[in-house]
Amino acid sequence: RRGLLGTTFVAWSLGTGAPSRRSRTCGTYPSHGVTRCSDDAGGGKGVILACVPPTFTETAPGLVGFKERGDGMGFGAVEVSALKPHSDNVVCCAFSPDVDLCCTGSNDSSLILWRVTDGWTARLAGHFSCVTCCAFQPGGALLASGSADETLRLWDMCEVLTSESSTPKADEVSIELKEYGGAIQACAFSRSGKSLASASADSLVRVWSVERCAVLRVMHGHKSWVLCCAFSPTEEEILVTGGGDGYVIVWHAETGQCLTRSKVAPKLGTSREITCCAFHPGGEEFATGGEDRLIRIWRMDGEAAQVLKGHK
């Protein structure tokens, strides 16, 4: 429903396949690039975006919040007050199911939890390289993070939120998951929160048992970095991944079976990398975005039902 590239935020009409509204951050923050976005959990009425700071100063905004305008003419960008930036580029963000709490991950190797209503923050430092992805468990009890240090971490949110320190020790509030040969690129919880999928630079997809903190299965199908993953919101074991090889794969996560495998034909002069994916809330279709600047809407049989053009 929404696509991001450069500094453009687009709301798409799936009925017509055309951009219905768009906003740009460049008018306010000239050299910022938008990297990841996350809907809040309140019915999609707000969205928070992680932005790349042009300079690493205390005055550079770390987050920009978007709210839909009352006149229906687009989205207005508002700097989120009281939030200080990371010391390096912000590359991922996610809202907790309780709406009030969001998490950001940065190239400075840390995650920051932000409570938007009162400005409370906590810095989570447990990775030793860039944080590349973060995701809250559907119930909000756990936060998963992945890093270029080839590890995943599961953070106990109860321990973090009740800690007397704003920088709790990683070994006291998190568990490290490691079985990797490449940087973690993406992670996603299943609908129940019992499974966690991870995508990495070694071209493999792993499904983890959250309860056992162990790998359940390793899935082979991509020929290059796996860059994104998403579980179906309606079917526990259906997982979609996209990679640098241009393949979009639908998996049965319980058996490891590849259900469909589709290859993107990029526009002339552009890369075929699939960089992001997201399911429709109904679970009957999903979207992917890539380096070719196109958004594709896929049916579950592996056929592209729509191609959305709008990014430049």
Side-chain angles (χ1 to χ4, degrees), residues 5-307:
L5 182 66
T7 56
T8 304
F9 177 85
V10 180
W12 298 90
S13 168
L14 296 187
T16 64
S20 60
R21 297 180 296 278
R22 71 171 65 221
S23 290
R24 295 182 63 85
T25 59
C26 61
T28 307
Y29 312 112
S31 54
H32 287 210
V34 178
T35 55
R36 299 277 179 97
C37 71
S38 175
D39 276 303
D40 68 17
K45 294 181 180 179
V47 66
I48 196 162
L49 306 178
C51 291
V52 179
T55 57
F56 307 144
T57 68
E58 287 296 315
T59 58
L63 295 173
V64 173
F66 276 79
K67 291 290 184 181
E68 190 162 7
R69 290 166 48 180
D71 58 9
M73 296 300 292
F75 293 85
V78 181
E79 181 179 342
V80 181
S81 61
L83 302 189
K84 294 183 179 180
H86 289 273
S87 61
D88 205 331
N89 293 359
V90 179
V91 297
C92 60
C93 61
F95 265 105
S96 168
D98 68 4
V99 181
D100 187 36
L101 195 67
C102 68
C103 177
T104 58
S106 168
N107 284 346
D108 65 10
S109 305
S110 74
L111 298 111
I112 297 180
L113 290 171
W114 316 86
R115 192 155 57 211
V116 180
T117 52
D118 61 10
W120 173 89
T121 64
R123 182 179 295 271
L124 307 180
H127 291 291
F128 298 98
S129 187
C130 308
V131 176
T132 55
C133 57
C134 59
F136 282 96
Q137 192 182 38
L142 295 173
L143 169 70
S145 61
S147 169
D149 65 8
E150 304 183 7
T151 67
L152 286 162
R153 278 192 172 273
L154 288 177
W155 303 85
D156 186 323
M157 293 308 299
C158 181
E159 294 291 336
V160 171
L161 293 172
T162 57
S163 173
E164 296 181 356
S165 173
S166 61
T167 56
K169 295 181 179 179
D171 58 357
E172 296 179 355
V173 297
S174 70
I175 296 174
E176 182 182 89
L177 309 181
K178 183 174 176 64
E179 190 178 316
Y180 276 90
I184 309 299
Q185 300 298 311
C187 62
F189 281 101
S190 65
R191 181 181 62 169
S192 69
K194 294 180 179 180
S195 298
L196 176 70
S198 59
S200 62
D202 61 4
S203 76
L204 301 177
V205 180
R206 290 173 173 83
V207 178
W208 302 76
S209 164
V210 172
E211 182 180 6
R212 293 163 46 195
C213 297
V215 174
L216 294 176
R217 62 199 55 84
V218 180
M219 299 185 292
H220 303 256
H222 287 284
K223 299 178 180 180
S224 182
W225 291 30
V226 188
L227 298 174
C228 57
C229 60
F231 270 103
S232 167
T234 58
E235 298 185 60
E236 174 72 12
E237 300 298 341
I238 300 300
L239 175 72
V240 167
T241 60
D245 55 3
Y247 279 99
V248 177
I249 300 179
V250 179
W251 307 88
H252 191 282
E254 183 177 3
T255 64
Q257 180 185 1
C258 172
L259 301 178
T260 68
R261 189 167 182 260
S262 308
K263 191 171 185 179
V264 168
K267 296 190 301 182
L268 184 65
T270 63
S271 169
R272 63 186 179 187
E273 290 185 356
I274 304 299
T275 56
C276 58
C277 60
F279 267 94
H280 185 281
E284 69 274 10
E285 58 189 6
F286 62 92
T288 62
E291 291 291 334
D292 62 1
R293 307 169 193 170
L294 300 176
I295 307 297
R296 291 176 174 84
I297 308 299
W298 301 83
R299 296 194 302 264
M300 297 309 297
D301 61 3
E303 293 295 323
Q306 279 183 284
V307 178

